[in-house]
Amino acid sequence: MAHISQVYCRKFSTSPAVAGAIKHVTVIGGGLMGSGIAQVAAATGHNVVMVDQTDDILSKSKAAIQKSLGRVAKKKFADDGERQSSFVADVMGRIQLNTDPVDAAKSTDLVVEAIVENLDVKKKLFSALDEAAPQHTIFASNTSSLPIRDIAESTNRLDRFGGLHFFNPVPMMKLVEVVKIPETSNETFERLVQLGKAMGKTTVDCKDTPGFIVNRLLVPYMMEAVRMLERGDASARDIDTAMKLGAGYPMGPFELADYVGLDTTKFIIDGWSKKYPDVQIFQESPYVNKLVADGKLGKKTGEGFYKYDKK
Ligand SMILES: CCCCCCCC(=O)CC(=O)SCCNC(=O)CCNC(=O)[C@H](O)C(C)(C)COP(=O)(O)OP(=O)(O)OC[C@H]1O[C@@H](n2cnc3c(N)ncnc32)[C@H](O)[C@@H]1OP(=O)(O)O
Ligand SMILES: NC(=O)C1=CN([C@@H]2O[C@H](COP(=O)(O)OP(=O)(O)OC[C@H]3O[C@@H](n4cnc5c(N)ncnc54)[C@H](O)[C@@H]3O)[C@@H](O)[C@H]2O)C=CC1
């Protein structure tokens, strides 16, 4: 994994927001994804407001960003503690916190939404933001599985709406899928692509098809792994080992599901099973349902398919 980190350090060291480009980013949702997006946006010179529901959640998000930046800084300034600290302080200084999304949207170039994977909740949020945000502000969703067009229809700015799908963990993963709905203007799309690049990512152009590119392939793969486990074909550990050593994946499907969060995994599957009732691979998993019902949401709660040390 060392080379991924080196790329991160190289790309992220000197790329301030370019003139005319998006300079101010509001990230709504300070969970796994929102905190990562806020971190990388700030580390690449953007001014960021991160929004979540309570001060308590936001202070946990802030601590997560600080910890992740500490890991980046250690690599970037190997033996120089002072430069490590000033790098972290500098990036943190570009992140403001707010519990009021409407207030935050009043003055920003871009809103990136990374809240719970629920269409109605996302629509309600964007509808409120649309009233408050300036004309020029672009809206983007980081949804894993919902149609961007369905979210965008809650606003009157379809031409300034698109998808910006980042990958977990955002500081390490080099891809952003930029999603265009039929109404997205070329200018909006270009500005989103530019932002992705300014954040040090490689971008791919996506249509608003289910799961875009990555998740259209990843979700069936992960769900087939779950079916194998449910059928008793192999253990989770053996399936993970097989996919890491036999297919070269950095994580096996169960490690990855735990890393993504089983709540988010279930939201995706529930949505797709409702929408595509005839597609067998998208149907619900009793195994995942039970884990979620027991509060075993993966790494974030200390247990999912596996158990984790709480750090
Ligand atoms: C069924 C439906 C489900 C569908 C779900 C869809 C969800 C989506 O919509 C789309 C998604 O995001 S899918 C998830 C995509 N992500 C992946 O596939 C991650 C796969 N894992 C990895 O790449 C590495 O294990 C990874 C990079 C994570 C960690 O690397 P390692 O395994 O080698 O572990 P470490 O030794 O801890 O880390 C290696 C170096 O990376 C640095 N690092 C890791 N995490 C970091 C973080 N969060 N922030 C900053 N730095 C970080 C770490 O410093 C370490 O460097 P060294 O110090 O040199 O070891
Ligand atoms: N977990 C993953 O690996 C990935 C998730 N995504 C997508 O990103 C989005 C967020 O996922 P995660 O960060 O994993 O979820 P998470 O559960 O870690 O974080 C979601 C955050 O949103 C906050 N929130 C919920 N409703 C809100 C509202 N109305 N206003 C402000 N904040 C609100 C919650 O308090 C929570 O902190 C989802 O749409 C998910 O599908 C996309 C790529 C990867």
Side-chain angles (χ1 to χ4, degrees):
M1 283 301 111
H3 76 284
I4 293 183
S5 309
Q6 281 156 9
V7 168
Y8 178 91
C9 295
R10 192 176 64 238
K11 284 190 168 175
F12 283 52
S13 53
T14 55
S15 55
V18 290
I22 289 163
K23 290 184 175 149
H24 189 285
V25 179
T26 296
V27 182
I28 315 233
L32 272 178
M33 294 306 292
S35 60
I37 297 165
Q39 173 184 331
V40 176
T44 49
H46 301 84
N47 291 316
V48 176
V49 176
M50 182 170 64
V51 179
D52 210 304
Q53 302 180 99
T54 65
D55 287 325
D56 190 40
I57 299 175
L58 280 171
S59 65
K60 287 185 184 127
S61 312
K62 194 176 157 193
I65 294 177
Q66 225 148 358
K67 188 174 166 199
S68 173
L69 279 172
R71 295 173 82 176
V72 173
K74 255 196 188 138
K75 218 141 337 98
K76 202 166 149 61
F77 305 107
D79 296 319
D80 191 337
E82 216 168 279
R83 288 182 76 194
Q84 289 174 20
S85 308
S86 79
F87 168 77
V88 175
D90 186 42
V91 177
M92 292 308 296
R94 278 195 289 278
I95 303 177
Q96 291 182 325
L97 306 176
N98 198 332
T99 51
D100 181 353
V102 170
D103 179 54
K106 280 181 186 154
S107 159
T108 191
D109 299 325
L110 171 73
V111 173
V112 184
E113 167 274 312
I115 66 169
V116 64
E117 187 73 342
N118 177 300
L119 181 60
D120 291 337
V121 179
K122 287 186 195 284
K123 282 173 77 169
K124 194 169 164 216
L125 171 72
F126 275 117
S127 162
L129 299 183
D130 195 31
E131 308 260 308
Q135 273 300 306
H136 81 280
T137 304
I138 294 175
F139 287 176
S141 175
N142 183 56
T143 179
S144 297
S145 64
L146 300 168
I148 300 293
R149 180 66 176 73
D150 289 0
I151 305 171
E153 73 177 19
S154 60
T155 72
N156 289 312
R157 60 179 81 209
L158 296 181
D159 57 323
R160 282 151 288 149
F161 209 114
L164 264 185
H165 185 218
F166 290 85
F167 292 81
N168 182 21
V170 184
M172 303 305 298
M173 302 302 284
K174 291 182 273 183
L175 185 72
V176 181
E177 294 179 325
V178 185
V179 187
K180 200 174 197 299
I181 59 173
E183 296 86 350
T184 309
S185 71
N186 289 339
E187 189 196 330
T188 298
F189 189 74
E190 269 318 304
R191 293 185 78 200
L192 291 175
V193 168
Q194 261 191 37
L195 175 78
K197 291 190 197 316
M199 287 175 69
K201 305 298 183 193
T202 296
T203 62
V204 288
D205 302 358
C206 293
K207 290 189 180 164
D208 192 19
T209 52
F212 318 125
I213 297 174
V214 171
N215 285 346
R216 182 63 184 86
L217 299 173
L218 189 61
V219 174
Y221 152 72
M222 288 173 70
M223 288 314 291
E224 188 53 28
V226 172
R227 309 291 179 220
M228 285 181 80
L229 179 69
E230 286 174 341
R231 287 194 300 266
D233 293 348
S235 69
R237 184 65 73 192
D238 281 350
I239 295 170
D240 278 350
T241 300
M243 293 314 292
K244 285 190 286 186
L245 302 187
Y249 287 21
M251 288 176 172
F254 298 101
E255 289 169 331
L256 187 56
D258 276 356
Y259 195 70
V260 163
L262 298 183
D263 47 350
T264 299
T265 298
K266 182 168 157 53
F267 286 133
I268 295 170
I269 284 304
D270 286 354
W272 282 11
S273 62
K274 221 179 262 167
K275 196 156 184 183
Y276 308 103
D278 300 330
V279 182
Q280 193 51 39
I281 198 74
F282 295 156
Q283 299 315 300
E284 285 186 48
S285 151
Y287 202 112
V288 172
N289 286 350
K290 169 90 173 70
L291 289 174
V292 172
D294 291 346
K296 297 174 181 169
L297 306 183
K299 210 164 171 224
K300 60 182 152 187
T301 58
E303 187 171 353
F305 288 103
Y306 299 109
K307 285 191 174 158
Y308 301 86
D309 291 336
K310 282 196 179 155
K311 283 180 204 155

